[in-house]
Amino acid sequence: MKTITRVYDTYAQARQVVAELEAAGAPPSDINIIANRYVCEETARGEEPAGAAAGIGAALGGTAGLLAGLGMIAIPGLGPVVAAGALAATAVGAAAGAATGGLVGALVSSGVPQREAEVYCEAVRRGGTMVSMRTSEADEQRVLLIMDQHRPIDHAAREADYRTTGWTRFDPQAEPYTPSQTEIERLRRPYATP
């Protein structure tokens, strides 16, 4: 099994990817989504991030597809996020001391290179939405086609962009972006359509 990960500038792009993966027969248990709380319309379902166990329990409890099971959790460096899937559970467990590395560590463990994982986490911190899918080699091309047709970020270009502002790596101790910072960051990306 292989895990494919992409980050999208808008929640709408990521939501469409998840819907298409599920429509193509992907089991919701193999899909993960992590979205900055401030850009996800599902945040109306909850006020504050739940504790690790409660948030992930809610996130994994959906019966009508992955998106129906979104839960709000807090991940160090990202702050409150809306998430569902095993990757979110691993990141919360790592943040709680069950393992090391938080979300970056969870991504690296799933096969994402370290620098790419750090850029993906920073992109979520700044308002992006991450989707990952665990798939067999036989289904890999179909999953890539679905995920790539919705214009995911180019991690190398995004890293170069972040470095122009002094960013060097994802810092799980950094303060999460506020709603206004998230919106400003998203407005910097006029090519990202909802």
Side-chain angles (χ1 to χ4, degrees):
M1 296 295 276
K2 179 178 183 174
T3 301
I4 301 168
T5 303
R6 299 290 186 266
V7 174
Y8 302 89
D9 279 320
T10 70
Y11 177 75
Q13 289 168 288
R15 183 183 178 115
Q16 185 64 35
V17 168
V18 170
E20 289 182 24
L21 288 170
E22 288 181 336
S29 60
D30 286 343
I31 306 170
N32 300 278
I33 186 168
I34 300 175
N36 183 294
R37 171 189 178 181
Y38 303 118
V39 300
C40 174
E41 62 263 25
E42 270 82 3
T43 60
R45 295 183 187 173
E47 294 298 316
E48 293 298 322
I56 295 303
L60 298 177
T63 58
L66 183 74
L67 294 172
L70 287 171
M72 196 172 323
I73 58 175
I75 296 178
L78 298 180
V81 296
V82 178
L87 186 64
T90 301
V92 169
T100 59
L103 185 54
V104 171
L107 287 169
V108 170
S109 293
S110 73
V112 176
Q114 177 81 25
R115 292 302 302 162
E116 192 172 327
E118 290 187 18
V119 171
Y120 285 166
C121 289
E122 186 67 18
V124 172
R125 178 175 176 259
R126 295 182 186 215
T129 302
M130 181 185 308
V131 176
S132 70
M133 166 85 191
R134 192 174 56 141
T135 187
S136 66
E137 283 186 38
D139 289 333
E140 183 178 346
Q141 289 306 312
R142 182 172 52 116
V143 170
L144 283 168
L145 180 65
I146 292 169
M147 293 179 89
D148 289 344
Q149 75 180 354
H150 293 283
R151 296 187 337 257
I153 70 168
D154 175 318
H155 67 87
R158 192 57 56 91
E159 179 178 359
D161 182 42
Y162 291 162
R163 287 187 181 281
T164 66
T165 64
W167 183 86
T168 58
R169 64 175 186 80
F170 178 74
D171 181 2
Q173 304 303 315
E175 288 294 317
Y177 265 39
T178 65
S180 60
Q181 288 173 307
T182 301
E183 188 59 25
I184 290 167
E185 182 67 23
R186 286 169 36 94
L187 290 172
R188 289 183 59 226
R189 312 215 180 283
Y191 50 83
T193 57

